[in-house]
Amino acid sequence: MYHQASWDEPLLIERSHPGKIGHLPTLPSELEKKTVGETSRLVPASLRRRGPPPLPELSEPEVIRHFIRLSQENYSPDLGIYPLGSCTMKYNPKSSELAVQTPKLEKLHPEQDESTVQGMLALMFNLERILAEITGMSRMTLQPAAGAHGEYLGCLIMRAFHRSMRELDKRIEMIVPDSAHGTNPASAAMAGFKVIVVPSNSDGRVDLDALANVAGPRTAGLMITNPNTLGIFEKDILEIAEVIHNAGGLLYYDGANFNPLLGKVRPGDMGFDIVHLNLHKTFATPHGGGGPGAGPVGVTKALERFLPIPLIEFDGKKYSYNYHLPDSIGKIREFFGNVGILVRAYAYILNLGSDGLKVVAETSVLNTNYVLSRVMASGLYELPFARERKHEFVLSAKSLSGQGVRAMDLAKRMLDHGVHAPTTYFPQIVDEALMIEAPETESLQDLDLLVDTLISVYREAQTSPETVKSAPHSTSVGRIDDVKASHPKTLTLHWSIRSSESRGSDAS
Ligand SMILES: *Cc1c(COP(=O)(O)O)cnc(C)c1O
């Protein structure tokens, strides 16, 4: 059992005791005087503080205990299975963390002259080559900070392409399947396109007739993920590509679901023109609290000239920045993206090798299908659409409507079993959706824990629905009002000092 912290956990500043010091001065003051002199001299009097800032004053153990307590209120892939479908929350190997924990990297500055950062440029150049090989693309940019950022860049590249064909005025429509992740239509709309939704057929795949009906001279492109968000492989992808290309559009691959295809199939060979990868999903780098991530974007030879600047080139002797790309859409992010994430992904790929990446894909499909088979054998949940799934599947909890229990209630009750909840209510084409992904890094014991939990919460919902509807019961924070939590008028994030001993009591 871990420490039960509470919603009212005091802030560091509230634990502060004036005069307490938890560290040794880093620079001996004599040395400081010799090197930089009296620093306060350098700041104009009008800008100098009149007193010291109201920082918390605590001992080292107090600070450490505070953060460890907070970390125990959280859940992460370092603590247990995290079956959040579509997000690929796999374990982040510590060898990748070691790769970034070096002063050689920490002390690099992006404004350094290229002659002094040859090693970093070599790494980014090699990573680009590897990712291009894995996806079947010609060149990649490593700049985008996330999948959605990559999608937006992909849309800008489509615009640049259609402009170069003098067709931008009429190619105003972006087609997305109704199973698409919300970021696809959002990115397309942000880039100025009108979103056209194409329905799924009874298998859960893109309806080819419906696609043929909407594709035409107004089509800028199609954004699609494969396998789709139901975990179903779009086996007609070559035909889909043909329909879009014949209409004069481009094909965008949302690589968030690339995990089960690693080393098996390449989006380039499926007919895609633009691809993004989510390094924080497929390549096991941390997701962070909404970032930082990395969403490198690859393109075919014909679209290379639109990529963001700079590209990194190698002439056989040295690496250099190439800013000379007159048709480039410009820059999509300052400097070179989240370099620390790129290094972790590079370490991950080199550690596994091409054979290891294939094992990742196979094991992710195997693990997910093991969970799916056991859940289906229980006869409790419904599985809308085709049975065959890759790395994820979407159950429906609709059959519990008689008890008044919803997917959200089951998800919350799962937390009481020490298991992270699946993704809920997505994709929207499944009623009361529970979207489950069991990545390759999970053990058989954890997969069984997930299945046993899914079965147990369902059975409990049949016999004592009230217990499920009021869950979670054993977490440090109970059921959160998610409408309140996401509404700017009701969500209050400021804090105020409660302890009279604390300094800076005017802060709030
Ligand atoms: C996660 C995800 C995205 C968005 O990627 P981010 O890196 O979170 O911006 C897009 N499409 C699908 C299918 C996803 O699962």
Side-chain angles (χ1 to χ4, degrees):
M1 254 346 258
Y2 31 97
H3 163 82
Q4 289 289 314
S6 84
W7 203 219
D8 284 331
E9 190 79 2
L11 302 172
L12 272 186
I13 195 110
E14 292 165 333
R15 295 178 188 277
S16 178
H17 290 284
K20 237 189 210 181
I21 294 180
H23 66 93
L24 299 172
T26 41
L27 269 183
S29 45
E30 279 311 306
L31 177 63
E32 190 176 340
K33 281 200 187 113
K34 268 189 214 146
T35 49
V36 286
E38 275 294 345
T39 45
S40 59
R41 224 177 8 91
L42 304 171
V43 182
S46 64
L47 295 180
R48 276 181 228 152
R49 280 184 184 282
R50 278 179 288 279
L55 296 176
E57 294 170 273
L58 298 122
S59 69
E60 179 175 310
E62 286 172 313
V63 174
I64 293 295
R65 283 172 189 168
H66 175 76
F67 285 109
I68 294 296
R69 249 193 314 267
L70 286 182
S71 75
Q72 287 178 340
E73 282 196 64
N74 218 333
Y75 191 87
S76 79
D78 282 350
L79 201 59
I81 187 167
Y82 211 127
L84 204 58
S86 211
C87 295
T88 311
M89 301 295 289
K90 58 170 88 170
Y91 174 72
N92 311 133
K94 299 311 160 216
S95 53
S96 296
E97 295 304 315
L98 279 181
V100 282
Q101 284 166 20
T102 157
K104 286 182 185 173
L105 211 104
E106 286 159 6
K107 296 208 158 51
L108 280 184
H109 194 282
E111 303 268 31
Q112 267 174 255
D113 186 79
E114 61 189 30
S115 66
T116 67
V117 289
Q118 288 289 302
M120 191 66 229
L121 294 187
L123 188 151
M124 292 200 283
F125 182 87
N126 291 341
L127 180 62
E128 180 195 335
R129 290 314 326 145
I130 292 171
L131 297 179
E133 177 60 33
I134 289 175
T135 53
M137 291 287 119
S138 177
R139 288 215 67 166
M140 316 265 307
T141 173
L142 305 175
Q143 280 180 34
H149 199 192
E151 291 168 26
Y152 179 62
L153 169 61
C155 292
L156 296 185
I157 292 175
M158 285 198 199
R159 287 184 68 93
F161 169 77
H162 292 306
R163 186 180 291 119
S164 76
M165 306 291 281
R166 303 190 187 288
E167 288 196 330
L168 185 59
D169 289 351
K170 58 178 186 149
R171 296 215 174 258
I172 52 167
E173 293 181 352
M174 185 70 73
I175 304 173
V176 299
D178 61 1
S179 61
H181 193 262
T183 52
N184 294 179
S187 308
M190 272 186 71
F193 293 113
K194 185 175 169 217
V195 176
I196 305 291
V197 178
V198 56
S200 306
N201 61 22
S202 55
D203 265 5
R205 297 187 170 93
V206 168
D207 184 324
L208 283 173
D209 292 334
L211 180 67
N213 276 337
V214 293
R218 286 194 301 278
T219 303
L222 167 80
M223 299 178 85
I224 190 171
T225 180
N226 197 15
N228 63 30
T229 58
L230 297 166
I232 298 175
F233 189 76
E234 298 280 357
K235 60 182 169 50
D236 303 320
I237 191 62
L238 293 176
E239 226 171 317
I240 292 172
E242 204 179 315
V243 170
I244 297 300
H245 284 151
N246 285 345
L250 295 173
L251 236 73
Y252 183 91
Y253 183 72
D254 171 348
N257 289 338
F258 194 53
N259 206 41
L261 304 190
L262 257 186
K264 297 282 177 184
V265 192
R266 309 191 313 165
D269 299 331
M270 290 191 262
F272 286 93
D273 304 287
I274 311 175
V275 170
H276 88 244
L277 294 173
N278 303 59
L279 300 190
H280 46 287
K281 295 181 182 175
T282 312
F283 296 93
T285 68
H287 286 233
V297 166
V299 294
T300 55
K301 186 108 196 113
L303 299 176
E304 268 182 29
R305 62 196 179 106
F306 303 117
L307 281 174
I309 45 174
L311 293 176
I312 296 165
E313 312 287 2
F314 182 53
D315 65 4
K317 280 204 195 96
K318 67 179 189 44
Y319 298 88
S320 57
Y321 301 129
N322 176 5
Y323 281 94
H324 191 72
L325 228 65
D327 296 325
S328 165
I329 60 107
K331 271 189 88 58
I332 192 80
R333 195 166 194 277
E334 70 276 20
F335 303 121
F336 312 102
N338 286 325
V339 168
I341 296 296
L342 303 178
V343 176
R344 285 175 176 90
Y346 187 62
Y348 178 74
I349 293 169
L350 293 193
N351 268 331
L352 286 175
S354 55
D355 290 341
L357 295 180
K358 285 191 187 111
V359 176
V360 165
E362 288 162 8
T363 313
S364 72
V365 176
L366 181 66
N367 280 4
T368 292
N369 277 278
Y370 172 77
V371 172
L372 176 57
S373 299
R374 273 205 60 203
V375 170
M376 292 324 287
S378 75
L380 298 174
Y381 292 88
E382 276 176 55
L383 180 76
F385 303 112
R387 165 65 177 77
E388 196 191 310
R389 305 294 163 121
K390 294 286 182 216
H391 68 305
E392 67 190 13
F393 59 89
V394 185
L395 299 172
S396 171
K398 203 172 56 180
S399 46
L400 287 170
S401 62
Q403 283 79 15
V405 174
R406 304 199 54 194
M408 177 69 84
D409 304 317
L410 296 178
K412 295 292 184 196
R413 185 62 173 142
M414 287 176 76
L415 306 182
D416 290 328
H417 290 254
V419 174
H420 195 281
T423 302
T424 50
Y425 302 105
F426 170 67
Q428 289 168 351
I429 54 175
V430 174
D431 280 344
E432 297 300 320
L434 289 167
M435 180 194 222
I436 296 168
E437 176 170 1
E440 69 283 355
T441 44
E442 297 309 325
S443 67
L444 184 58
Q445 288 69 32
D446 279 321
L447 298 177
D448 280 332
L449 173 66
L450 172 61
V451 178
D452 294 342
T453 303
L454 279 163
I455 292 174
S456 150
V457 296
Y458 193 103
R459 293 225 166 99
E460 191 178 35
Q462 291 174 313
T463 52
S464 11
E466 291 314 317
T467 312
V468 178
K469 283 197 267 185
S470 50
H473 303 289
S474 66
T475 51
S476 55
V477 177
R479 178 102 45 138
I480 288 170
D481 180 341
D482 40 290
V483 174
K484 205 172 165 188
S486 61
H487 199 286
K489 287 220 174 92
T490 49
L491 179 67
T492 316
L493 286 176
H494 69 78
W495 52 273
S496 55
I497 301 283
R498 273 173 284 178
S499 153
S500 57
E501 265 181 52
S502 303
R503 285 173 39 185
S505 52
D506 55 340
S508 70

